Structure formats: C-alpha cells, structure tokens
C-alpha cells in the first residue's frame, strides 16, 4: 500500500497487517473491512450519537464508492502520468485530513478529559 495506517485497536491492526502482507487489497477484503467497521459502529450504543453515527457511516461508504468510481474512470480514460499522480496525491491529502482530524478529536489520548475545553482555546 502506498498510504499506510497503524491502529491501537488490535483487531484492526491485525487486519491492516494481513492486508499489507501481499501489498494487494481485494474486493473481498474491502467488503470484509466494511462489514467489520459497521459491526464496530453498531457496538456504540450512545443514543445521542445515533444521527452522527449514521451520517459518518454513509459518508465513509460514499467516499469509498467515489474512490472506486474514480479508479475505474482513470483506467478507462488512460490519464497522463501527471493527472494520475495529481489524483493520487489529492486523495492521500484528503484521507490524511480525515486521519489527522480523528487524531485531534476522538482519537486524542486525553479526549475524555478536556476536548471541549481544548477546542474552545484553539
């Protein structure tokens, strides 16, 4: 994989390591990870998060589908190397934005003790 992830969730880290082993991600692996992601989201029982959970899941599915469609279109249309490189860089930046915002918010070590106070000072 050109863009890699590490996770502090053992089950996810195991899947990531498994997927990176052969440097190929199959459609079955994508579907498997999607089902696992949905299963983990279903474990979140806080009712005050239900709307945001639903929006988040739909957005992730939409992003995944959009990337697949872009990849198919790129293959069909034989883009220049520059265009291909630009799309690759742009998507990596978009995904990095998502990961960095996760690290700044929910993934923050001190999230449970002061995120709201910290975000007001930012």
């Amino acid at each position: 994989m050109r863009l890699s992830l590490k996770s502090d969730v053992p089950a996810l880290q195991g899947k990531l390591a498994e997927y990176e082993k052969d440097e190929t991600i199959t459609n079955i692996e994508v579907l498997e990870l999607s089902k696992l992601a949905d299963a983990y989201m279903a474990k979140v029982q806080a009712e005050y998060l239900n709307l945001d959970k639903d929006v988040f899941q739909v957005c992730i599915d939409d992003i995944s589908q959009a990337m697949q469609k872009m990849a198919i279109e790129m293959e069909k249309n034989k883009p220049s190397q520059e265009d291909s490189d630009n799309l690759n860089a742009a998507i990596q930046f978009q995904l990095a934005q998502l990961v960095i915002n996760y690290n700044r918010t929910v993934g923050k070590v001190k999230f449970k003790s002061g995120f709201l106070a910290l975000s007001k000072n930012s």
Side-chain angles (χ1 to χ4, degrees):
M1 276 191 276
R2 294 199 282 189
L3 186 62
S4 295
L5 291 173
K6 286 192 243 176
S7 175
D8 62 355
V9 176
L12 178 55
Q13 185 56 43
K15 283 294 171 195
L16 295 173
E18 179 184 320
Y19 296 161
E20 285 186 346
K21 207 182 299 182
D22 64 0
E23 296 186 11
T24 301
I25 304 292
T26 67
N27 289 339
I28 291 172
E29 290 170 331
V30 170
L31 291 172
E32 175 187 50
L33 189 61
S34 178
K35 286 179 183 179
L36 283 170
D38 289 347
Y40 273 83
M41 189 63 87
K43 291 179 182 183
V44 179
Q45 296 297 313
E47 289 184 22
Y48 54 86
L49 295 176
N50 283 346
L51 179 61
D52 292 322
K53 280 176 36 180
D54 291 345
V55 168
F56 191 81
Q57 283 182 285
V58 168
C59 288
I60 294 299
D61 289 343
D62 288 349
I63 289 166
S64 293
Q65 186 174 40
M67 278 195 299
Q68 290 176 30
K69 287 180 178 180
M70 284 190 286
I72 291 167
E73 289 302 317
M74 293 292 272
E75 283 186 33
K76 283 183 187 176
N77 290 287
K78 310 275 188 263
S80 67
Q81 187 62 51
E82 181 180 11
D83 231 11
S84 183
D85 291 347
N86 286 341
L87 178 63
N88 179 48
I91 289 178
Q92 286 195 41
F93 270 97
Q94 294 295 317
L95 294 172
Q97 175 188 353
L98 186 64
V99 171
I100 286 170
N101 197 36
Y102 160 79
N103 287 336
R104 184 183 71 86
T105 58
V106 178
K108 191 172 198 139
V109 174
K110 295 183 181 180
F111 174 71
K112 293 180 180 169
S113 60
F115 174 71
L116 292 177
L118 286 171
S119 65
K120 289 177 183 175
N121 295 331
S122 299

